[in-house]
């Protein structure tokens, strides 16, 4: 017993920031950003918090699944840009949607949605839950150094959610970690007069090119690995939903597998990298557009801070 996906949801803050908007206060250009990343615009919060976005995505997914908050047995939540270190952001969602079940946060950078699904599969396997809500919400605008053109242009805000029920749709998964801080958001280091040094500023710090190489290698390896766990071939897969960090990373994987042009889902042009919210947002877009049918096989694959990566195969 693992789970099946009963419904999906998302919330995207309405404020759009184009590359030209950024170039008004940063030394960058639409041409550079489109050519080097594939991003044309991203959505950013103005008054919405991370939990606000999560609540809207959760309500949306509950409605889509026909599940009432009172039926939930557990809420899991991933974020690298939460409103709080404690309480867990999941606890605040629990209260605001009117659920009464346990709730907690799972932290694992950009691939956290997939680490969360793997935790969820464990709860179902142990027979501890019948219905679960899994949410990823990211207010990356809060943790960016807006003076750093290397990072500020590539991220965006948003939230996605899925409601899970008992089933056998989660066919296989692979999780990978190689501990490193080459992508990091340090916590605020406090004001202790006793520390002899202080950590870096609490913004995203990323060694772009090292991350790029890690990303391409993991995307290709992880997709191959999960596929080899099943009796499926690439021709059996309806969509591969890769983490949206850079269109060149997706293109590199696409070339490596020599797949049909539209097999890898792409929406980075509209959202940038929304960290762990990326995959559930994409899943909801495909679901609501009627582009996933019962029985379709999907590969979800993500990489990022950790360094970590994860992939899984799901039968819809
Ligand atoms: N506008 C204009 N010029 C820029 C910008 C910008 N926004 N950013 C960098 N440049 C400049 C650099 O200063 C450099 O100039 P120089 O040659 O004069 O020194 C030049 O462009 C090339 O810089 P690179 O860093 O080599 O650019 P690159 O092609 O590697 O692109 C990028 C940078 C987009 C960050 C890329 O490395 C990348 O996508 N890396 C992977 C990111 C990723 O996968 N993240 C995933 C997870 S994130 C998470 O987990 C939180």
């Amino acid at each position: 017993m693992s789970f099946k996906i009963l419904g999906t949801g998302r919330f995207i803050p309405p404020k759009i920031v184009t590359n030209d908007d950024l170039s008004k206060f940063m030394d960058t250009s639409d041409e550079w950003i489109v050519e080097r990343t594939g991003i044309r615009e991203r959505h950013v919060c103005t008054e919405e918090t991370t939990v606000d976005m999560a609540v809207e995505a959760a309500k949306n997914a509950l409605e889509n699944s026909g599940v009432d908050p009172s039926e939930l047995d557990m809420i899991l939540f991933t974020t690298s840009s939460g409103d709080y270190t404690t309480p867990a952001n999941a606890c605040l969602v629990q209260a605001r949607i009117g659920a009464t079940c346990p709730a907690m946060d799972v932290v694992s950078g950009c691939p956290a949605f997939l680490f969360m699904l793997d935790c969820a599969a464990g709860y179902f396997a142990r027979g501890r839950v019948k219905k679960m809500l899994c949410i990823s919400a990211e207010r990356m605008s809060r943790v960016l150094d807006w003076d750093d053109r290397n990072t500020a242009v590539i991220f965006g805000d948003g939230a996605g959610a899925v409601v899970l029920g008992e089933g056998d749709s989660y066919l296989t998964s692979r999780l990978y970690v190689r501990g490193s801080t080459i992508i990091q958001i340090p916590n605020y280091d406090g004001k202790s007069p006793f520390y002899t040094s202080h950590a870096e500023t609490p913004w995203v710090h990323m060694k772009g090119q090292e991350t790029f190489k890690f990303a391409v290698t993991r995307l290709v390896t992880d997709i191959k690995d999960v596929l080899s766990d099943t009796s499926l071939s690439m021709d059996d897969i309806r969509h591969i939903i890769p983490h949206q960090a850079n269109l060149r990373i997706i293109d590199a994987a696409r070339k490596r597998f020599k797949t049909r042009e539209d097999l890898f889902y792409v929406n980075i042009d509209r959202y940038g990298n929304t960290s762990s919210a990326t995959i559930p947002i994409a899943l909801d877009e495909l679901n609501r557009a009627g582009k996933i049918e019962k029985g379709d096989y999907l590969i979800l694959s993500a990489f990022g801070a950790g360094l970590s990566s994860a992939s899984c195969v799901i039968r819809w």
Side-chain angles (χ1 to χ4, degrees):
M1 167 76 71
S2 60
F3 60 72
K4 65 181 174 193
I5 296 179
L6 302 177
T8 62
R10 69 180 187 275
F11 175 82
I12 309 293
K15 168 98 182 141
I16 293 175
V17 175
T18 64
N19 295 340
D20 284 336
D21 292 334
L22 292 178
S23 64
K24 286 183 191 139
F25 64 93
M26 202 181 285
D27 182 14
T28 189
S29 64
D30 179 57
E31 194 189 3
W32 191 95
I33 301 171
V34 171
E35 191 186 310
R36 304 305 296 166
T37 71
I39 300 165
R40 293 183 182 278
E41 59 188 35
R42 70 288 293 141
H43 291 245
V44 298
C45 293
T46 49
E47 55 193 25
E48 307 87 351
T49 67
T50 308
V51 169
D52 289 340
M53 291 192 290
V55 167
E56 293 311 313
K59 285 182 180 167
N60 211 223
L62 286 163
E63 197 184 334
N64 185 246
S65 62
V67 171
D68 190 82
S70 62
E71 295 175 66
L72 293 172
D73 300 306
M74 173 72 78
I75 299 170
L76 298 181
F77 187 124
T78 74
T79 187
S80 294
S81 49
D83 299 331
Y84 302 94
T85 300
T86 195
N89 296 273
C91 299
L92 304 176
V93 176
Q94 184 249 32
R96 282 178 51 185
I97 64 171
T100 53
C101 58
M104 63 183 164
D105 290 358
V106 177
V107 178
S108 196
C110 291
F113 178 74
L114 300 182
F115 279 74
M116 170 167 65
L117 288 190
D118 215 58
C119 296
Y123 277 101
F124 280 100
R126 286 165 57 218
R128 290 292 304 270
V129 295
K130 288 193 184 341
K131 301 257 166 48
M132 258 177 112
L133 171 63
C134 292
I135 316 161
S136 298
E138 300 283 7
R139 185 158 52 114
M140 297 305 288
S141 56
R142 191 178 78 76
V143 291
L144 290 174
D145 175 353
W146 285 94
D147 294 325
D148 176 14
R149 66 180 183 171
N150 291 294
T151 50
V153 305
I154 60 183
F155 291 96
D157 298 338
V162 292
V163 176
L164 307 178
E166 289 173 298
D168 57 358
S169 290
Y170 189 65
L171 302 186
T172 185
S173 66
R174 297 275 187 129
L175 308 179
Y176 176 88
V177 169
R178 169 157 59 88
S180 161
T181 53
I182 72 166
I183 313 168
Q184 54 165 304
I185 307 172
N187 273 334
Y188 172 58
D189 211 22
K191 289 186 170 174
S192 171
F194 306 108
Y195 293 170
T196 53
S197 66
H198 282 272
E200 294 204 68
T201 47
W203 317 127
V204 174
H205 298 263
M206 180 177 70
K207 294 200 170 72
Q209 291 188 358
E210 284 178 55
T211 306
F212 193 97
K213 284 180 210 148
F214 172 80
V216 174
T217 307
R218 288 320 310 174
L219 193 55
V220 171
T221 308
D222 292 350
I223 290 172
K224 257 192 216 154
D225 285 351
V226 287
L227 208 51
S228 73
D229 289 343
T230 68
S231 54
L232 301 170
S233 77
M234 223 24 136
D235 292 339
D236 299 313
I237 306 299
R238 176 82 190 267
H239 301 285
I240 295 178
I241 304 182
H243 181 47
Q244 311 279 314
N246 189 319
L247 185 57
R248 288 187 294 135
I249 294 172
I250 300 171
D251 281 341
R254 200 162 21 199
K255 276 189 199 123
R256 209 72 68 88
F257 288 114
K258 297 190 178 69
T259 61
R260 62 172 210 270
E261 185 65 21
D262 65 345
L263 181 62
F264 283 76
Y265 188 67
V266 171
N267 63 10
I268 189 171
D269 49 325
R270 291 175 284 127
Y271 299 130
N273 178 352
T274 54
S275 191
S276 71
T278 298
I279 289 192
I281 289 172
L283 204 52
D284 186 55
E285 284 193 327
L286 283 167
N287 185 25
R288 282 171 196 264
K291 290 183 178 164
I292 321 179
E293 283 154 49
K294 194 170 161 44
D296 279 348
Y297 292 102
L298 311 178
I299 295 181
L300 316 181
S301 189
F303 47 80
L307 293 172
S308 57
S309 70
S311 286
C312 66
V313 181
I314 287 183
R315 184 177 47 230
W316 201 253

